[in-house]
Coordinates of all heavy atoms in Angstrom, one line a residue:
M1436 N 14.7 5.0 -3.1 CA 13.7 5.9 -2.5 C 12.6 6.2 -3.6 O 12.9 6.3 -4.8 CB 14.5 7.2 -2.3 CG 13.8 8.3 -1.4 SD 13.4 7.7 0.2 CE 14.7 8.2 1.2
N1437 N 11.4 6.2 -3.1 CA 10.2 6.4 -4.0 C 9.6 7.7 -3.7 O 9.4 8.1 -2.5 CB 9.1 5.3 -3.8 CG 9.5 3.9 -4.3 OD1 10.3 3.9 -5.2 ND2 9.1 2.9 -3.6
S1438 N 9.3 8.4 -4.7 CA 8.6 9.7 -4.6 C 7.1 9.6 -4.9 O 6.7 9.1 -6.0 CB 9.2 10.7 -5.6 OG 8.6 12.0 -5.5
I1439 N 6.3 9.8 -3.9 CA 4.8 9.6 -4.1 C 4.0 10.8 -3.7 O 4.6 11.8 -3.1 CB 4.4 8.4 -3.1 CG1 4.7 8.7 -1.7 CG2 5.1 7.1 -3.6 CD1 4.0 7.7 -0.7
Q1440 N 2.7 10.7 -3.9 CA 1.8 11.8 -3.4 C 0.8 11.2 -2.5 O 0.3 10.0 -2.8 CB 1.1 12.5 -4.5 CG 1.9 13.6 -5.2 CD 1.1 14.2 -6.3 OE1 0.2 13.7 -6.9 NE2 1.4 15.5 -6.6
I1441 N 0.3 11.8 -1.5 CA -0.8 11.5 -0.7 C -1.9 12.6 -0.8 O -1.5 13.8 -0.7 CB -0.4 11.2 0.8 CG1 0.4 10.1 0.9 CG2 -1.7 11.0 1.6 CD1 1.9 10.3 0.8
V1442 N -3.1 12.2 -1.2 CA -4.2 13.2 -1.5 C -5.4 13.0 -0.7 O -5.8 11.8 -0.6 CB -4.5 13.1 -3.0 CG1 -5.6 14.1 -3.4 CG2 -3.3 13.3 -3.9
Y1443 N -6.0 14.0 -0.2 CA -7.3 14.0 0.5 C -8.0 15.2 -0.1 O -7.6 16.4 0.1 CB -7.2 14.1 2.0 CG -8.5 14.0 2.7 CD1 -9.3 12.9 2.6 CD2 -9.0 15.1 3.4 CE1 -10.5 12.9 3.2 CE2 -10.2 15.1 4.1 CZ -11.0 14.0 3.9 OH -12.2 13.9 4.6
A1444 N -9.1 15.0 -0.9 CA -9.8 16.2 -1.5 C -11.1 16.4 -0.9 O -12.0 15.6 -1.0 CB -9.9 15.9 -3.0
L1445 N -11.2 17.5 -0.3 CA -12.5 18.1 0.1 C -13.0 19.0 -1.0 O -12.2 19.5 -1.8 CB -12.4 18.9 1.4 CG -12.0 18.2 2.7 CD1 -11.7 19.1 3.8 CD2 -13.1 17.2 3.0
P1446 N -14.3 19.2 -1.2 CA -14.8 20.0 -2.2 C -14.1 21.5 -2.2 O -14.0 22.1 -1.1 CB -16.3 20.3 -1.9 CG -16.6 19.0 -1.1 CD -15.4 18.7 -0.3
N1447 N -13.5 21.8 -3.2 CA -12.8 23.1 -3.4 C -11.5 23.2 -2.5 O -11.1 24.4 -2.4 CB -13.8 24.3 -3.1 CG -15.0 24.3 -4.0 OD1 -14.8 24.0 -5.2 ND2 -16.1 24.5 -3.5
N1448 N -11.1 22.1 -1.9 CA -10.0 22.3 -1.0 C -9.1 21.0 -0.9 O -9.1 20.3 0.1 CB -10.4 22.7 0.4 CG -9.3 23.0 1.3 OD1 -8.2 23.3 0.9 ND2 -9.5 22.9 2.6
P1449 N -8.4 20.7 -2.0 CA -7.6 19.4 -2.0 C -6.3 19.6 -1.1 O -5.7 20.7 -1.2 CB -7.3 19.2 -3.4 CG -7.3 20.5 -4.1 CD -8.3 21.3 -3.3
T1450 N -6.0 18.5 -0.4 CA -4.7 18.5 0.2 C -3.8 17.5 -0.4 O -4.1 16.4 -0.5 CB -4.8 18.2 1.8 OG1 -5.7 19.1 2.4 CG2 -3.5 18.1 2.5
I1451 N -2.7 18.0 -1.0 CA -1.8 17.1 -1.7 C -0.4 17.2 -1.0 O 0.1 18.3 -0.9 CB -1.7 17.5 -3.2 CG1 -3.1 17.4 -3.8 CG2 -0.7 16.6 -3.9 CD1 -3.1 18.0 -5.3
I1452 N 0.1 16.1 -0.6 CA 1.4 16.1 0.1 C 2.4 15.2 -0.7 O 2.1 14.1 -1.0 CB 1.3 15.6 1.5 CG1 0.4 16.5 2.3 CG2 2.7 15.5 2.2 CD1 0.1 16.1 3.7
N1453 N 3.5 15.8 -1.1 CA 4.5 15.0 -1.8 C 5.5 14.5 -0.7 O 5.8 15.1 0.3 CB 5.3 15.9 -2.7 CG 4.5 16.4 -3.9 OD1 3.9 15.6 -4.6 ND2 4.5 17.7 -4.1
C1454 N 5.8 13.2 -0.9 CA 6.6 12.5 0.1 C 7.6 11.5 -0.5 O 7.2 10.9 -1.5 CB 5.5 11.8 1.0 SG 6.1 11.1 2.5
D1455 N 8.7 11.4 0.1 CA 9.7 10.4 -0.3 C 9.7 9.3 0.8 O 9.9 9.6 1.9 CB 11.1 11.0 -0.4 CG 11.2 12.0 -1.6 OD1 10.6 11.7 -2.6 OD2 11.8 13.0 -1.5
V1456 N 9.6 8.1 0.2 CA 9.6 7.0 1.2 C 10.5 5.9 0.7 O 11.0 5.8 -0.5 CB 8.1 6.3 1.3 CG1 7.2 7.3 1.9 CG2 7.6 5.8 0.0
D1457 N 10.9 4.9 1.6 CA 11.8 3.8 1.2 C 11.1 2.9 0.3 O 9.9 2.8 0.2 CB 12.2 3.1 2.5 CG 13.1 4.0 3.4 OD1 13.9 4.9 2.8 OD2 13.1 3.8 4.7
E1458 N 11.9 2.0 -0.3 CA 11.4 1.1 -1.3 C 10.4 0.1 -0.7 O 9.4 -0.3 -1.4 CB 12.6 0.2 -1.9 CG 13.6 1.1 -2.6 CD 13.4 1.2 -4.1 OE1 12.8 0.2 -4.6 OE2 13.8 2.1 -4.6
Q1459 N 10.6 -0.3 0.5 CA 9.7 -1.4 1.1 C 8.6 -0.7 2.0 O 8.2 -1.3 3.0 CB 10.5 -2.4 1.9 CG 11.4 -3.2 1.1 CD 10.6 -4.0 0.0 OE1 9.6 -4.7 0.4 NE2 11.0 -4.0 -1.2
T1460 N 8.1 0.4 1.7 CA 7.1 1.1 2.4 C 5.7 0.7 2.0 O 5.4 0.7 0.8 CB 7.3 2.7 2.3 OG1 8.6 3.0 2.7 CG2 6.2 3.4 3.1
N1461 N 4.8 0.4 3.0 CA 3.5 0.1 2.5 C 2.6 1.4 2.6 O 3.0 2.4 3.1 CB 2.8 -1.1 3.4 CG 2.7 -0.7 4.8 OD1 2.4 0.4 5.2 ND2 2.7 -1.7 5.7
V1462 N 1.3 1.3 2.1 CA 0.5 2.4 2.1 C 0.2 3.1 3.4 O 0.3 4.3 3.5 CB -0.9 2.0 1.4 CG1 -1.9 3.1 1.5 CG2 -0.7 1.5 0.0
L1463 N 0.0 2.3 4.4 CA -0.3 2.8 5.8 C 1.0 3.6 6.3 O 0.8 4.7 6.8 CB -0.6 1.7 6.7 CG -0.8 2.1 8.2 CD1 -2.0 3.2 8.3 CD2 -1.1 1.0 9.1
Q1464 N 2.1 3.1 6.1 CA 3.4 3.7 6.5 C 3.6 5.1 5.8 O 4.0 6.0 6.3 CB 4.6 2.8 6.3 CG 4.6 1.6 7.2 CD 5.7 0.6 6.8 OE1 6.0 0.5 5.6 NE2 6.2 -0.2 7.7
A1465 N 3.3 5.0 4.5 CA 3.4 6.3 3.7 C 2.4 7.3 4.2 O 2.7 8.5 4.3 CB 3.1 6.0 2.2
I1466 N 1.2 6.9 4.4 CA 0.2 7.9 4.9 C 0.6 8.5 6.3 O 0.5 9.7 6.5 CB -1.2 7.2 5.0 CG1 -1.8 6.9 3.6 CG2 -2.2 8.1 5.8 CD1 -3.0 6.0 3.6
T1467 N 1.1 7.6 7.1 CA 1.5 8.0 8.4 C 2.7 9.0 8.3 O 2.7 10.0 9.0 CB 1.9 6.8 9.3 OG1 0.8 5.9 9.4 CG2 2.3 7.2 10.7
K1468 N 3.6 8.7 7.5 CA 4.8 9.5 7.3 C 4.5 10.9 6.8 O 5.1 11.9 7.1 CB 5.9 8.9 6.4 CG 7.1 9.7 6.2 CD 8.2 9.1 5.4 CE 9.3 10.0 5.2 NZ 10.4 9.5 4.4
S1469 N 3.4 11.0 5.9 CA 3.1 12.2 5.3 C 2.4 13.2 6.3 O 2.3 14.4 6.1 CB 2.1 12.0 4.2 OG 0.8 11.7 4.7
N1470 N 2.0 12.7 7.5 CA 1.3 13.4 8.5 C -0.1 14.1 8.0 O -0.6 15.0 8.7 CB 2.2 14.6 9.0 CG 1.8 15.0 10.4 OD1 1.3 14.2 11.2 ND2 2.1 16.2 10.7
I1471 N -0.6 13.6 6.9 CA -1.9 14.0 6.4 C -3.1 13.8 7.4 O -4.0 14.6 7.4 CB -2.2 13.5 5.0 CG1 -3.2 14.3 4.3 CG2 -2.6 12.0 5.0 CD1 -3.4 14.1 2.8
L1472 N -3.0 12.7 8.2 CA -4.1 12.4 9.1 C -4.3 13.5 10.1 O -5.4 13.9 10.4 CB -3.8 11.1 9.8 CG -3.7 9.9 8.8 CD1 -3.4 8.6 9.7 CD2 -5.0 9.7 8.1
S1473 N -3.1 14.1 10.6 CA -3.2 15.2 11.5 C -3.6 16.5 10.9 O -4.4 17.2 11.4 CB -1.8 15.3 12.2 OG -1.5 14.2 13.0
I1474 N -3.0 16.7 9.7 CA -3.3 18.0 9.0 C -4.7 18.1 8.7 O -5.3 19.2 8.8 CB -2.4 18.0 7.7 CG1 -0.9 18.1 8.1 CG2 -2.8 19.2 6.8 CD1 0.0 17.9 6.9
C1475 N -5.3 17.0 8.2 CA -6.7 17.1 7.7 C -7.7 16.5 8.8 O -8.9 16.5 8.5 CB -6.9 16.3 6.4 SG -6.0 17.0 5.0
Q1476 N -7.2 16.2 10.0 CA -7.9 15.5 11.0 C -8.8 14.4 10.5 O -10.1 14.4 10.6 CB -8.8 16.6 11.7 CG -8.0 17.7 12.3 CD -8.7 18.8 13.0 OE1 -10.0 18.7 13.1 NE2 -8.1 19.6 13.7
I1477 N -8.2 13.4 9.9 CA -8.8 12.3 9.4 C -8.7 11.0 10.3 O -7.6 10.8 10.8 CB -8.1 11.9 8.0 CG1 -8.2 13.0 7.0 CG2 -8.8 10.6 7.4 CD1 -7.3 12.8 5.8
K1478 N -9.8 10.3 10.4 CA -9.8 9.0 11.1 C -9.8 8.0 10.0 O -10.7 7.8 9.3 CB -11.0 8.9 12.0 CG -11.0 9.8 13.2 CD -12.3 9.6 14.0 CE -12.3 10.5 15.2 NZ -13.5 10.4 16.0
L1479 N -8.7 7.4 9.8 CA -8.4 6.5 8.7 C -9.4 5.3 8.6 O -9.8 4.9 7.5 CB -7.0 6.0 8.7 CG -6.4 5.4 7.4 CD1 -6.6 6.4 6.3 CD2 -5.1 4.9 7.5
D1480 N -9.9 4.8 9.7 CA -10.9 3.7 9.7 C -12.2 4.1 9.1 O -13.1 3.3 8.9 CB -11.0 3.1 11.1 CG -11.5 4.0 12.1 OD1 -11.5 5.3 11.9 OD2 -11.9 3.6 13.2
E1481 N -12.5 5.4 8.9 CA -13.7 5.8 8.3 C -13.6 6.1 6.8 O -14.5 6.6 6.2 CB -14.2 7.2 9.0 CG -14.5 6.9 10.5 CD -14.8 8.2 11.2 OE1 -14.8 9.3 10.5 OE2 -15.0 8.2 12.4
H1482 N -12.5 5.8 6.3 CA -12.3 6.1 4.8 C -11.7 4.9 4.0 O -11.1 4.0 4.6 CB -11.2 7.3 4.7 CG -11.6 8.5 5.3 ND1 -11.7 8.7 6.7 CD2 -12.0 9.6 4.7 CE1 -12.1 10.0 6.9 NE2 -12.4 10.6 5.8
L1483 N -12.0 5.0 2.7 CA -11.4 4.0 1.8 C -10.1 4.6 1.2 O -10.0 5.8 1.1 CB -12.4 3.6 0.7 CG -13.7 3.0 1.1 CD1 -14.6 2.8 0.0 CD2 -13.4 1.7 1.8
I1484 N -9.2 3.7 0.8 CA -7.9 4.2 0.3 C -7.8 3.6 -1.2 O -8.2 2.4 -1.4 CB -6.8 3.7 1.1 CG1 -7.0 4.0 2.6 CG2 -5.4 4.2 0.6 CD1 -7.0 5.5 2.9
G1485 N -7.1 4.3 -2.0 CA -6.9 3.8 -3.4 C -5.6 4.4 -3.9 O -5.0 5.4 -3.4
I1486 N -5.2 3.8 -5.0 CA -4.0 4.4 -5.7 C -4.5 4.6 -7.1 O -4.9 3.7 -7.8 CB -2.8 3.4 -5.7 CG1 -2.3 3.2 -4.2 CG2 -1.6 3.9 -6.6 CD1 -1.1 2.2 -4.1
Y1487 N -4.4 5.8 -7.6 CA -4.9 6.3 -8.9 C -6.3 5.7 -9.1 O -6.6 5.2 -10.2 CB -4.0 5.8 -10.0 CG -2.7 6.7 -10.0 CD1 -1.5 6.1 -9.8 CD2 -2.8 8.0 -10.4 CE1 -0.3 6.9 -9.8 CE2 -1.6 8.8 -10.4 CZ -0.4 8.2 -10.2 OH 0.7 8.9 -10.2
G1488 N -7.2 5.9 -8.2 CA -8.6 5.5 -8.4 C -8.9 4.1 -8.2 O -10.1 3.7 -8.4
K1489 N -8.0 3.3 -7.9 CA -8.3 1.8 -7.7 C -8.0 1.5 -6.3 O -6.9 1.7 -5.8 CB -7.3 1.0 -8.6 CG -7.6 -0.5 -8.6 CD -6.7 -1.2 -9.6 CE -6.9 -2.7 -9.5 NZ -6.0 -3.5 -10.3
R1490 N -9.0 0.9 -5.6 CA -8.9 0.5 -4.2 C -7.7 -0.3 -3.9 O -7.3 -1.1 -4.8 CB -10.2 -0.3 -3.8 CG -11.5 0.5 -3.8 CD -11.8 1.1 -2.4 NE -11.6 0.2 -1.3 CZ -12.5 -0.6 -0.8 NH1 -13.7 -0.7 -1.3 NH2 -12.2 -1.3 0.3
C1491 N -7.1 -0.1 -2.8 CA -5.9 -0.9 -2.4 C -6.0 -1.2 -0.9 O -6.9 -0.7 -0.2 CB -4.7 -0.1 -2.7 SG -4.4 1.4 -1.7
D1492 N -5.1 -2.0 -0.5 CA -5.1 -2.5 0.9 C -3.9 -1.6 1.6 O -3.0 -1.2 0.9 CB -4.7 -3.9 1.0 CG -4.8 -4.5 2.4 OD1 -6.0 -4.6 2.8 OD2 -3.8 -4.7 3.0
L1493 N -4.1 -1.4 2.9 CA -3.1 -0.6 3.6 C -1.7 -1.3 3.6 O -0.7 -0.6 3.9 CB -3.6 -0.3 5.0 CG -4.7 0.6 5.1 CD1 -5.2 0.7 6.6 CD2 -4.4 2.0 4.6
N1494 N -1.7 -2.6 3.4 CA -0.4 -3.3 3.4 C 0.3 -3.4 2.1 O 1.4 -4.0 2.0 CB -0.7 -4.8 3.9 CG -1.1 -4.8 5.4 OD1 -0.6 -4.0 6.2 ND2 -2.1 -5.6 5.7
D1495 N -0.4 -2.9 1.0 CA 0.2 -2.9 -0.3 C 1.4 -2.0 -0.4 O 1.5 -0.9 0.3 CB -0.8 -2.4 -1.4 CG -1.9 -3.4 -1.6 OD1 -1.8 -4.5 -1.1 OD2 -2.9 -2.9 -2.3
L1496 N 2.5 -2.5 -1.0 CA 3.7 -1.7 -1.1 C 3.5 -0.5 -2.2 O 2.9 -0.8 -3.2 CB 4.9 -2.5 -1.5 CG 5.3 -3.6 -0.5 CD1 6.5 -4.4 -1.0 CD2 5.7 -2.9 0.8
V1497 N 4.1 0.6 -1.9 CA 3.9 1.7 -2.8 C 5.1 1.7 -3.8 O 6.2 1.1 -3.5 CB 4.0 3.1 -2.1 CG1 2.8 3.3 -1.2 CG2 5.2 3.3 -1.3
K1498 N 4.8 2.2 -5.0 CA 5.8 2.3 -6.1 C 6.2 3.7 -6.4 O 5.3 4.6 -6.1 CB 5.3 1.5 -7.3 CG 5.0 0.1 -7.1 CD 4.7 -0.6 -8.4 CE 3.3 -0.7 -8.8 NZ 2.2 -1.1 -8.1
N1499 N 7.3 3.9 -6.9 CA 7.7 5.3 -7.3 C 6.6 5.9 -8.2 O 6.1 5.4 -9.1 CB 9.0 5.3 -8.1 CG 9.6 6.7 -8.2 OD1 9.6 7.5 -7.3 ND2 10.1 7.0 -9.3
G1500 N 6.1 7.1 -7.9 CA 5.1 7.8 -8.7 C 3.8 7.6 -8.3 O 2.8 8.2 -8.8
D1501 N 3.5 6.7 -7.3 CA 2.1 6.4 -6.8 C 1.4 7.6 -6.3 O 2.1 8.5 -5.7 CB 2.1 5.3 -5.8 CG 2.1 3.9 -6.4 OD1 2.0 3.7 -7.6 OD2 2.3 2.9 -5.7
R1502 N 0.1 7.7 -6.5 CA -0.7 8.7 -5.9 C -1.7 8.0 -5.0 O -2.7 7.4 -5.5 CB -1.4 9.5 -7.0 CG -2.4 10.6 -6.5 CD -3.0 11.2 -7.7 NE -4.1 12.1 -7.3 CZ -4.1 13.4 -7.4 NH1 -3.0 14.0 -7.7 NH2 -5.2 14.0 -7.0
I1503 N -1.5 8.1 -3.6 CA -2.3 7.5 -2.7 C -3.5 8.4 -2.4 O -3.3 9.6 -2.0 CB -1.6 7.1 -1.4 CG1 -0.5 6.1 -1.7 CG2 -2.5 6.6 -0.3 CD1 0.5 5.9 -0.5
E1504 N -4.7 7.9 -2.6 CA -5.9 8.8 -2.4 C -6.8 8.3 -1.2 O -7.1 7.1 -1.1 CB -6.8 8.7 -3.7 CG -6.0 9.2 -4.9 CD -6.6 8.7 -6.2 OE1 -7.4 7.8 -6.2 OE2 -6.2 9.4 -7.3
I1505 N -7.1 9.2 -0.4 CA -7.9 9.0 0.8 C -9.4 9.4 0.4 O -9.5 10.7 0.2 CB -7.5 9.6 2.0 CG1 -6.0 9.1 2.4 CG2 -8.4 9.3 3.3 CD1 -5.3 9.9 3.5
Y1506 N -10.2 8.5 0.3 CA -11.6 8.9 -0.2 C -12.5 9.2 0.9 O -12.5 8.6 2.0 CB -12.2 7.7 -1.0 CG -11.4 7.2 -2.1 CD1 -10.9 5.9 -2.1 CD2 -11.0 8.0 -3.1 CE1 -10.1 5.4 -3.2 CE2 -10.2 7.6 -4.1 CZ -9.7 6.3 -4.2 OH -9.0 5.8 -5.2
R1507 N -13.3 10.3 0.7 CA -14.3 10.7 1.7 C -15.4 9.7 1.7 O -15.8 9.1 0.7 CB -14.8 12.1 1.3 CG -13.8 13.2 1.5 CD -14.3 14.5 1.0 NE -14.3 14.7 -0.4 CZ -15.4 15.0 -1.1 NH1 -16.5 15.2 -0.6 NH2 -15.3 15.0 -2.4
P1508 N -16.1 9.5 2.9 CA -17.3 8.7 2.9 C -18.4 9.3 2.0 O -18.5 10.5 1.8 CB -17.8 8.7 4.4 CG -16.6 9.3 5.1 CD -15.8 10.1 4.1
L1509 N -19.2 8.4 1.4 CA -20.3 8.9 0.6 C -21.4 9.5 1.4 O -21.8 9.0 2.5 CB -20.9 7.7 -0.2 CG -20.1 7.1 -1.3 CD1 -20.8 5.9 -1.9 CD2 -19.7 8.1 -2.4
I1510 N -21.9 10.6 0.9 CA -23.0 11.3 1.6 C -24.3 10.6 1.3 O -25.1 10.3 2.2 CB -23.1 12.8 1.2 CG1 -21.8 13.5 1.7 CG2 -24.3 13.5 1.9 CD1 -21.7 14.9 1.2
N1511 N -24.5 10.3 0.1 CA -25.6 9.5 -0.4 C -25.2 8.3 -1.2 O -24.3 8.3 -2.0 CB -26.5 10.4 -1.3 CG -27.1 11.6 -0.5 OD1 -27.6 11.4 0.5 ND2 -27.0 12.8 -1.1
D1512 N -25.9 7.2 -1.0 CA -25.7 6.0 -1.7 C -26.2 6.2 -3.1 O -27.4 6.5 -3.3 CB -26.4 4.9 -1.1 CG -26.2 3.5 -1.8 OD1 -25.3 3.5 -2.7 OD2 -26.8 2.6 -1.4
P1513 N -25.3 6.0 -4.2 CA -25.8 6.3 -5.5 C -26.9 5.4 -5.9 O -27.9 5.8 -6.7 CB -24.6 5.9 -6.4 CG -23.4 6.1 -5.5 CD -23.9 5.8 -4.1
K1514 N -27.0 4.1 -5.4 CA -28.1 3.3 -5.8 C -29.4 3.8 -5.2 O -30.4 3.7 -5.9 CB -27.8 1.8 -5.2 CG -26.7 1.1 -6.0 CD -26.5 -0.3 -5.4 CE -25.3 -0.9 -6.0 NZ -25.0 -2.2 -5.4
E1515 N -29.4 4.3 -4.0 CA -30.5 4.8 -3.3 C -31.1 6.0 -4.1 O -32.3 6.2 -4.3 CB -30.3 5.1 -1.9 CG -31.5 5.5 -1.1 CD -32.5 4.4 -1.0 OE1 -32.1 3.2 -1.0 OE2 -33.7 4.7 -1.0
I1516 N -30.2 6.9 -4.6 CA -30.5 8.0 -5.3 C -31.3 7.7 -6.6 O -32.3 8.2 -6.9 CB -29.3 8.9 -5.6 CG1 -28.7 9.5 -4.4 CG2 -29.7 10.0 -6.6 CD1 -27.4 10.2 -4.6
R1517 N -30.8 6.7 -7.3 CA -31.4 6.1 -8.6 C -32.8 5.6 -8.3 O -33.8 5.8 -9.0 CB -30.6 5.1 -9.2 CG -29.3 5.8 -9.9 CD -28.7 4.8 -10.9 NE -27.9 3.7 -10.2 CZ -26.7 3.8 -9.7 NH1 -26.0 4.9 -10.0 NH2 -26.1 2.8 -9.1
R1518 N -32.9 4.8 -7.1 CA -34.2 4.2 -6.8 C -35.3 5.3 -6.5 O -36.4 5.3 -7.0 CB -34.1 3.4 -5.5 CG -33.7 2.0 -5.8 CD -33.8 1.1 -4.5 NE -32.8 0.2 -4.5 CZ -31.7 0.2 -3.8 NH1 -31.5 1.1 -2.9 NH2 -30.7 -0.8 -4.0
K1519 N -34.9 6.3 -5.8 CA -35.8 7.5 -5.5 C -36.2 8.2 -6.8 O -37.4 8.5 -6.9 CB -35.1 8.5 -4.5 CG -35.0 8.0 -3.2 CD -34.3 8.9 -2.2 CE -34.2 8.4 -0.8 NZ -33.5 9.3 0.1
R1520 N -35.2 8.4 -7.7 CA -35.5 9.0 -9.0 C -36.5 8.2 -9.8 O -37.4 8.7 -10.4 CB -34.2 9.3 -9.7 CG -34.4 10.4 -10.7 CD -33.1 10.7 -11.4 NE -31.9 11.0 -10.5 CZ -30.7 10.5 -10.7 NH1 -30.4 9.8 -11.7 NH2 -29.8 10.8 -9.8
A1521 N -36.3 6.9 -9.8 CA -37.2 6.0 -10.5 C -38.6 6.0 -10.0 O -39.6 5.9 -10.7 CB -36.6 4.6 -10.6
T1522 N -38.7 6.1 -8.7 CA -40.1 6.0 -8.0 C -40.9 7.3 -8.3 O -42.1 7.3 -8.3 CB -40.1 5.7 -6.5 OG1 -39.2 6.7 -5.9 CG2 -39.5 4.4 -6.3
K1523 N -40.2 8.4 -8.5 CA -40.8 9.7 -8.8 C -41.4 9.7 -10.2 O -42.4 10.5 -10.5 CB -39.9 10.8 -8.7 CG -39.5 11.2 -7.2 CD -38.6 12.3 -7.1 CE -38.2 12.6 -5.7 NZ -37.3 13.7 -5.5
K1524 N -40.9 8.9 -11.1 CA -41.3 8.9 -12.5 C -42.6 8.2 -12.7 O -43.0 7.3 -12.1 CB -40.3 8.4 -13.5 CG -39.1 9.4 -13.5 CD -38.1 8.8 -14.5 CE -36.9 9.8 -14.6 NZ -35.9 9.4 -15.4

C-alpha cells in the first residue's frame, strides 16, 4: 500500500487529499480514487499533472510518498509578458 497526496492549489485555497493506493496504481487511478476532480470541479483534460513539480504522464505508477499536483492553466504566458515589458522600455 502506498500513501500519497493529491494537491490542487487555488490562490489562498489549496486542496490536499491524503490517499492510500495499491502498489500498481497509476496517476490517473490515484486522482480518480481521491475524488478531487468532483470536490474541486476540475476537468482533467484542461490541466497539466506533475509529481513534486516535475511533469508526469497519467499512466506513470505512483510511489509511496508521492505528491501528485494538478496544475492550474496559465492566465498569462510568461514569454508574452516579458515581450510586452521589453517593448515598453
Side-chain angles (χ1 to χ4, degrees):
M1436 197 57 94
N1437 290 330
S1438 182
I1439 62 167
Q1440 284 186 328
I1441 292 85
V1442 179
Y1443 182 66
L1445 292 172
N1447 303 319
N1448 186 22
T1450 300
I1451 301 171
I1452 298 175
N1453 294 310
C1454 192
D1455 291 323
V1456 296
D1457 294 328
E1458 299 266 333
Q1459 294 298 313
T1460 302
N1461 67 29
V1462 172
L1463 178 59
Q1464 292 167 331
I1466 290 171
T1467 303
K1468 181 177 181 184
S1469 73
N1470 205 29
I1471 197 166
L1472 300 177
S1473 297
I1474 294 168
C1475 296
Q1476 298 182 356
I1477 301 169
K1478 293 181 182 175
L1479 199 55
D1480 58 348
E1481 298 173 0
H1482 296 75
L1483 297 175
I1484 308 297
I1486 296 176
Y1487 286 115
K1489 184 177 179 185
R1490 291 267 317 270
C1491 70
D1492 190 72
L1493 291 174
N1494 294 319
D1495 291 349
L1496 294 180
V1497 297
K1498 296 186 271 307
N1499 191 43
D1501 276 352
R1502 177 183 168 105
I1503 299 171
E1504 301 161 342
I1505 303 172
Y1506 304 122
R1507 292 177 283 125
L1509 292 177
I1510 296 171
N1511 293 313
D1512 179 12
K1514 291 179 185 175
E1515 188 61 34
I1516 293 170
R1517 286 192 290 271
R1518 272 191 214 107
K1519 288 179 182 178
R1520 203 177 306 140
T1522 58
K1523 287 181 183 178
K1524 292 182 179 180

